[in-house]
Amino acid sequence: MAHLEDPFPVPDPTLPFWRTQLHELDDHRSTEQLPTYCDVLIIGAGYSGVATAYHLLNNNPSPPSVVILEARQACSGATGRNGGHVKPDLYFNILNYSRKYGAENAAEFARFEAANVLAVKDLVEKENINCDYHLTRAVDVYLDEKHAKQTEDSYKELLTLGTANLSDVQFTSGKDAESLSGVKGAKACFSFTAAHVWPYKLVMRLLSLVVKKGVNLQTTTPVTSVSETPNSDGTWTVNTPRGSIKARKVLFASNGYTAGIATQFAHKIVPVRGICSRIVTPEGKESPFLPYTYSIRYGPSLYDYLIPRSDGSIVVGGAKGDFWHEKKWWYGVTDDSKMIEPAKNYFDGLMQRTFKGWEDTGAYTDRVWTGIMGWSSDFMPYVGEVPNKPGQLILAGFSGHGMPLICLASKGIAEMLKGERFEDTNIPKLFKPSVERLMSEKNEILDSLAKPAPPSKL
Ligand SMILES: Cc1cc2nc3c(=O)[nH]c(=O)nc-3n(C[C@H](O)[C@H](O)[C@H](O)COP(=O)(O)OP(=O)(O)OC[C@H]3O[C@@H](n4cnc5c(N)ncnc54)[C@H](O)[C@@H]3O)c2cc1C
């Protein structure tokens, strides 16, 4: 087994664009001392933890007492450092999943992702959230002829199978792919409904709503351990350097760091470091407007993903081609205070070399940052009760792809925290944490390195 770094958030992460305008709750502590007891204790103030608190209190006439413990500042983990791309997987991995899990489970997965894009829209409109949410289409562009052909074949097979709903997916090939996408050398492209968002603003608005309703938020309060067994009254003891809290229910919303405090997830949810950037056009110059979000697929496992922002800037992540071959840069890495050295200049000139009409814009990389994802060893998130730990639940392991999953997954977890069974929620069956998943020796992240066509997210 590969060595995993110290699985706790480091205190001095790189500064992502999204965190250049901080919310007043960023380093908030609701009370000077930690409470000694709560009904629900949430570990992690990212999208998962905060959206769960929101759903738990929303339209709840007898709300539980809730404490959120966050190791660093609110929304300073992956959510505050990602690409802002809310892009469902409607076709790309669906044939693989159909073969592996059965067509109905694969279709359920795709339906759930598509539903999330619109669920975020509903949430943003309902709560009047100023987070630059923009509903658009994602365009997946294939630059490699062979990869384009393989994907076209898989798509046609999916159409024949007929289980997944592909009515929103448009396939374009040949010369039209280049003119539709604006990407030089495009061999084929797929487009479908997606969105982009300022993730920090989305989460911080939800956080302000729940703090107003009485949620006790404690930032810079890392959880160091959770008791191995429940106390005699059925509560769990959650320990921090500032004291302990007894909680009736505990939710691990701790993403890539989960194994540090729930060791059964070691090698099941693996910290994986990614890199992202913001590209801007110099004052006085103009760049062509990009109407969509994009994934630029250079080959089966190599891709960049990008969103255009209304301020004219572009947020781009990926760069795997420059560092993926050496695991030490990304696998099992929890340190987002450092750059991924071989990739730190990757984004320079990306727009000029990729998009038609950008050659003379002078667009340059304004900022580069890193962040820690939680990749699960079977690429499915863990959403539900932790096996053999009554009262402990988990919402983590989104494998670099949480934005089209967390809105509805957190709703389902909130229902479970209120007492619903997993089976009575809308969470896809594949996401259920099971003893079999935890016992499996398989690590598809590492297996995928040896294969020509590993699953690729975003
Ligand atoms: C560079 C990068 C780009 C990405 N781009 C995209 C994208 O464009 N689209 C997409 O869908 N997904 C993307 N992702 C993935 C996406 O950001 C995540 O899936 C999602 O944000 C996960 O949310 P979360 O709340 O589960 O985790 P996080 O946002 O990481 O929140 C977990 C929180 O738990 C806290 N925590 C951890 N351990 C402890 C502890 N022991 N005690 C207390 N607190 C603790 C952490 O400090 C953190 O704040 C990207 C991720 C990265 C890093």
Side-chain angles (χ1 to χ4, degrees):
M1 285 287 184
H3 168 73
L4 297 184
E5 267 185 25
D6 182 1
F8 290 94
V10 300
D12 51 352
T14 49
L15 182 64
F17 164 70
W18 310 119
R19 290 184 48 80
T20 53
Q21 295 175 26
L22 294 182
H23 190 278
E24 60 188 17
L25 292 180
D26 193 67
D27 56 359
H28 184 74
R29 286 180 176 174
S30 299
T31 51
E32 209 171 300
Q33 306 291 326
L34 295 186
T36 52
Y37 170 85
C38 64
D39 295 324
V40 177
L41 189 147
I42 297 175
I43 306 172
Y47 192 6
S48 295
V50 172
T52 301
Y54 170 81
H55 290 301
L56 205 49
L57 301 196
N58 192 34
N59 293 329
N60 189 344
S62 46
S65 58
V66 179
V67 172
I68 303 180
L69 298 181
E70 166 54 51
R72 303 196 294 209
Q73 294 73 30
C75 200
S76 63
T79 312
R81 343 178 58 77
N82 69 24
H85 202 180
V86 189
K87 177 190 167 190
D89 185 354
L90 302 187
Y91 77 98
F92 188 74
N93 286 305
I94 306 305
L95 186 65
N96 285 343
Y97 293 161
S98 295
R99 290 184 181 136
K100 191 168 158 203
Y101 299 114
E104 190 36 58
N105 281 328
E108 183 184 41
F109 172 93
R111 271 199 307 275
F112 189 74
E113 294 224 344
N116 266 272
V117 178
L118 299 179
V120 183
K121 177 173 179 285
D122 289 347
L123 179 64
V124 164
E125 285 170 358
K126 176 172 176 232
E127 298 298 355
N128 197 15
I129 306 180
N130 176 9
C131 63
D132 295 353
Y133 178 92
H134 187 76
L135 188 67
T136 177
R137 287 183 79 76
V139 181
D140 260 6
V141 182
Y142 291 75
L143 295 179
D144 178 73
E145 190 92 58
K146 193 167 155 212
H147 188 214
K149 181 75 180 82
Q150 278 168 353
T151 314
E152 180 184 353
D153 292 347
S154 301
Y155 170 68
K156 286 185 174 155
E157 200 175 328
L158 261 186
L159 280 172
T160 313
L161 263 178
T163 355
N165 182 353
L166 296 168
S167 57
D168 184 39
V169 181
Q170 183 175 7
F171 173 64
T172 309
S173 63
K175 265 266 156 252
D176 288 353
E178 200 175 79
S179 40
L180 187 135
S181 67
V183 173
K184 299 178 209 175
K187 303 290 182 294
C189 63
F190 291 82
S191 80
F192 45 92
T193 301
H196 57 86
V197 69
W198 187 314
Y200 177 80
K201 287 192 177 176
L202 168 65
V203 169
M204 294 310 286
R205 168 76 175 140
L206 294 179
L207 188 59
S208 69
L209 291 174
V210 297
V211 166
K212 255 191 219 130
K213 286 186 179 174
V215 165
N216 187 310
L217 168 68
Q218 298 288 336
T219 59
T220 47
T221 306
V223 171
T224 47
S225 62
V226 178
S227 57
E228 271 303 307
T229 50
N231 302 311
S232 53
D233 59 359
T235 59
W236 297 91
T237 302
V238 177
N239 301 306
T240 83
R242 298 177 55 218
S244 302
I245 306 180
K246 284 184 174 183
R248 207 162 49 78
K249 299 212 167 151
V250 176
L251 175 68
F252 295 93
S254 37
N255 193 19
Y257 309 97
T258 303
I261 42 176
T263 51
Q264 64 273 53
F265 291 96
H267 304 285
K268 302 294 162 222
I269 298 178
V270 178
V272 164
R273 185 166 57 181
I275 187 164
C276 225
S277 70
R278 178 172 182 252
I279 293 177
V280 297
T281 302
E283 287 229 15
K285 290 255 190 182
E286 290 254 330
S287 307
F289 170 69
L290 293 185
Y292 311 119
T293 69
Y294 296 83
S295 290
I296 312 295
R297 297 189 182 274
Y298 306 97
S301 63
L302 292 183
Y303 56 92
D304 296 323
Y305 49 95
L306 66 92
I307 63 162
R309 291 189 25 75
S310 52
D311 62 7
S313 69
I314 307 284
V315 173
V316 197
K320 282 168 82 183
D322 276 8
F323 70 92
W324 207 248
H325 54 282
E326 258 196 283
K327 276 199 322 228
K328 70 168 188 185
W329 294 114
W330 58 276
Y331 188 86
V333 179
T334 50
D335 187 352
D336 53 5
S337 71
K338 299 200 177 62
M339 272 301 137
I340 299 180
E341 282 300 319
K344 67 178 184 203
N345 299 321
Y346 173 86
F347 301 104
D348 299 347
L350 183 137
M351 298 306 292
Q352 286 89 333
R353 61 184 183 258
T354 308
F355 286 93
K356 291 202 266 184
W358 279 71
E359 294 80 0
D360 301 322
T361 55
Y364 64 94
T365 315
D366 166 60
R367 185 180 292 277
V368 183
W369 61 90
T370 56
I372 308 304
M373 303 172 264
W375 279 35
S376 75
S377 57
D378 59 8
F379 290 110
M380 287 295 149
Y382 286 89
V383 184
E385 293 193 345
V386 177
N388 302 321
K389 301 274 184 184
Q392 291 190 12
L393 291 89
I394 179 164
L395 178 61
F398 292 98
S399 305
H401 188 71
M403 299 307 285
L405 286 165
I406 292 172
C407 188
L408 292 177
S410 60
K411 193 167 184 223
I413 271 286
E415 285 162 15
M416 287 180 239
L417 285 165
K418 288 185 209 162
E420 289 288 348
R421 293 172 338 129
F422 177 95
E423 289 70 20
D424 297 328
T425 69
N426 288 327
I427 304 297
K429 291 179 218 38
L430 298 174
F431 298 178
K432 186 171 180 168
S434 64
V435 174
E436 293 70 36
R437 287 181 75 190
L438 290 178
M439 295 301 286
S440 169
E441 292 281 303
K442 245 177 123 35
N443 182 329
E444 295 184 36
I445 310 166
L446 295 180
D447 292 350
S448 72
L449 298 178
K451 282 189 206 150
S456 109
K457 295 288 184 177
L458 299 169

